[in-house]
Amino acid sequence: MAKHIHIFMNNPTAGAVDGTEISSGDNTLPLTFLLDASESESQAEKCAVRCDTGYKISGILSIYFEGTSSAKWQVATDNNFSDSADALTSADWQNAITLSDVAAANVIFWVKATSSSDENPQNDTSVKLKADGYVEESEE
């Protein structure tokens, strides 16, 4: 993830500066899903991205996954979903999304993890959530 860009979880608010920051490479606070390995199921989590105060993204910011099992993960732009169940059924889930107008306040997006009934229980730490964009100083 580029310097000055941060991703947050725990029900962040659009346009605010709340949420709990997700780990930046140390896995001390990763985005975690507990899925039933005996069933095919999906869960969604509301997340936010923002820049440090005094910085913004020039143009667009790309959000995507990298890693061995990244095909089990997807992202969606926010459409004012009421909760994760609404996002699961209504969002346009993609392998990657782009966001614009990312600066020092939360821009909401959603993350979905999926399991299949034929996989073994596992603690998969091979997948990384990536945010790529060109950061510049803002005029704020």
Side-chain angles (χ1 to χ4, degrees):
M1 203 167 333
K3 186 176 178 182
H4 303 296
I5 302 172
H6 305 277
I7 296 179
F8 299 84
M9 63 181 186
N10 290 334
N11 202 29
T13 309
V17 291
D18 59 353
T20 305
E21 187 170 4
I22 297 173
S23 303
S24 296
D26 60 5
N27 288 327
T28 56
L29 189 57
L31 182 58
T32 304
F33 291 87
L34 183 58
L35 301 172
D36 188 340
S38 67
E39 298 183 23
S40 296
E41 70 173 331
S42 297
Q43 290 181 6
E45 174 79 24
K46 183 180 180 182
C47 295
V49 61
R50 69 177 182 257
C51 294
D52 289 332
T53 301
Y55 294 89
K56 67 178 182 176
I57 299 298
S58 175
I60 61 168
L61 178 74
S62 298
I63 306 279
Y64 60 95
F65 296 95
E66 278 185 354
T68 307
S69 58
S70 60
K72 296 179 183 184
W73 296 80
Q74 291 186 304
V75 288
T77 56
D78 186 43
N79 194 15
N80 295 316
F81 301 116
S82 59
D83 57 24
S84 60
D86 185 24
L88 277 173
T89 59
S90 303
D92 181 18
W93 295 103
Q94 305 287 321
N95 293 327
I97 58 172
T98 58
L99 301 171
S100 58
D101 300 320
V102 177
N106 288 342
V107 174
I108 303 298
F109 67 98
W110 291 81
V111 173
K112 178 176 81 168
T114 304
S115 68
S116 61
S117 60
D118 61 348
E119 65 183 288
N120 293 321
Q122 61 183 310
N123 182 15
D124 184 358
T125 58
S126 70
V127 178
K128 306 295 182 205
L129 179 61
K130 306 291 265 183
D132 287 337
Y134 180 74
V135 179
E136 65 183 13
E137 289 186 29
S138 66
E139 298 174 8
E140 295 177 25

